[in-house]
Amino acid sequence: MGDEFSRIARYLAPLAGPEGLGLTDDAALFTPPAGAQLVFTADQMLEGIHFIPGDPPALIARKLLRRNLSDLAAMGASPLGYLLTTALPPGIDESWLAAFAEGLAQDQTEFGIKLFGGDSSSSRTDISLSATLIGHVAPGEALRRNGAKTGDDIWVTGTIGDAALGLRARQGTLPDPSGYLINRSLLPSPRIGLKLAGIVHAAIDISDGLIQDLGHISRASNLTAHIQADLVPASQDAAMLGAKYLEARLTEGDDYELILVAPPGNADRLAAVCGSLPVTRIGTMSEGEGPVVTRDRSGRLVNLKHFGWQHF
Ligand SMILES: [Mg+2]
């Protein structure tokens, strides 16, 4: 593999916007949109933790961007560009970097972003990647976790639990004949571009499982989320696997759907904003014990053994 500078020139410089100055200066120069509030978020992808060794490099690249884009979506922000840092082990093939850059290029086009800059180095053994996304939002329109009010409805976009089941399918412990669940795990769809300001009191994206991420809204808002498990929407492929995966669907997985908390009476407005993306009411915010209370359709408590992914 060529030296660092020729690799950057060959694979990364073509991805840079004018802000990146051809990746030949010490830093990027960026003029923010007039009057905008800037929004920053960073996420890592570590080999063996966030992806499986041998995963297709283009999909790793796209998921790295999409995890960050989902955080911008959760804040109600629109993306502008990103900084990228890579640490690659010495043995890695040059075709890996070519395919990785190809994946970045594909999603740059899809989401209208450019590379602003970053850093490349070598690692001892594992691939380690990080992206910092820069987005913008009109002042006062950012969505926060702490705005939920008693009586607000809890909504989710899309379907919940596909990524958790997709990971199991990749590990060979459940069937995925259509490949749908695996695809949802490898290539999430960040819900960028929904005009939620003025409708939604609080929002978060699901990166560590529905219950745990909903719990972050509860804690930040000093309330309890009461949800009904059977209202949590399942994809056709997830539903076919049956009720025994309910707990996995609720507590695991990086779905990158949004949890939206809105005052009652907003069903039509939310549906209009989400267009072809389904949005489903799963419960209500109110007083109570603990961050999230889950019941079945007859009102019985559903006891969940664990609440979501813990990093440490
Ligand atoms: Mg997040």
Side-chain angles (χ1 to χ4, degrees):
M1 188 158 194
D3 68 68
E4 182 189 342
F5 302 109
S6 66
R7 278 192 280 158
I8 290 172
R10 180 149 185 209
Y11 296 109
L12 299 179
L15 302 174
E19 301 83 356
L21 309 171
L23 305 187
T24 55
D25 261 281
D26 292 293
L29 274 181
F30 168 60
T31 308
Q37 196 164 30
L38 294 180
V39 185
F40 301 86
T41 183
D43 253 310
Q44 302 181 77
M45 291 273 284
L46 306 178
E47 183 175 9
I49 296 179
H50 301 99
F51 62 94
I52 300 172
D55 274 356
L59 290 178
I60 296 171
R62 296 174 75 190
K63 189 165 179 179
L64 175 65
L65 292 180
R66 287 168 182 234
R67 293 177 68 212
N68 279 286
L69 288 162
S70 180
D71 280 325
L72 292 185
M75 298 295 290
S78 302
L80 293 162
Y82 67 102
L83 302 169
L84 173 74
T85 61
T86 62
L88 305 179
I92 205 155
D93 200 82
E94 190 148 334
S95 66
W96 191 97
L97 190 57
F100 179 75
E102 183 51 45
L104 293 174
Q106 202 174 342
D107 272 1
Q108 285 190 192
T109 304
E110 179 147 356
F111 296 100
I113 53 176
K114 291 284 188 188
L115 178 63
F116 287 178
D119 188 32
S120 312
S121 64
S122 4
S123 68
R124 292 252 172 91
T125 52
D126 291 338
I127 299 168
S128 160
L129 308 160
S130 171
T132 300
L133 261 280
I134 298 123
H136 70 108
V137 67
E141 293 202 348
L143 311 176
R144 302 278 312 277
R145 297 176 178 182
N146 62 1
K149 305 269 185 292
T150 295
D152 282 354
D153 289 328
I154 303 165
W155 299 80
V156 290
T157 61
T159 55
I160 303 302
D162 297 324
L165 303 184
L167 181 61
R168 282 172 164 73
R170 298 196 71 204
Q171 292 161 340
T173 61
L174 59 75
D176 182 23
S178 72
Y180 177 81
L181 299 171
I182 288 177
N183 186 58
R184 288 271 289 163
S185 158
L186 287 174
L187 193 65
S189 300
R191 302 311 185 183
I192 279 285
L194 305 179
K195 301 262 175 281
L196 297 165
I199 305 176
V200 163
H201 278 164
I204 190 171
D205 67 319
I206 301 176
S207 55
D208 296 329
L210 169 71
I211 301 283
Q212 177 154 303
D213 288 319
L214 178 55
H216 292 314
I217 288 184
S218 302
R219 286 191 199 87
S221 302
N222 273 315
L223 289 171
T224 296
H226 297 265
I227 65 165
Q228 192 177 316
D230 59 281
L231 297 180
V232 176
S235 66
Q236 233 173 38
D237 293 73
M240 275 191 315
L241 294 167
K244 72 170 167 165
Y245 292 108
L246 177 68
E247 173 153 354
R249 287 183 43 239
L250 297 184
T251 61
E252 296 174 26
D254 41 354
D255 288 308
Y256 302 103
E257 295 294 346
L258 297 179
I259 301 172
L260 305 172
V261 174
N266 274 299
D268 291 345
R269 282 176 88 192
L270 278 177
V273 160
C274 291
S276 60
L277 172 68
V279 58
T280 308
R281 202 188 76 87
I282 62 166
T284 310
M285 300 298 301
S286 66
E287 314 296 326
E289 290 268 314
V292 182
V293 174
T294 308
R295 296 182 187 275
D296 66 15
R297 79 174 72 210
S298 60
R300 272 189 299 265
L301 280 175
V302 175
N303 279 313
L304 302 167
K305 285 190 277 298
H306 64 291
F307 295 100
W309 172 254
Q310 298 284 342
H311 292 275
F312 305 107

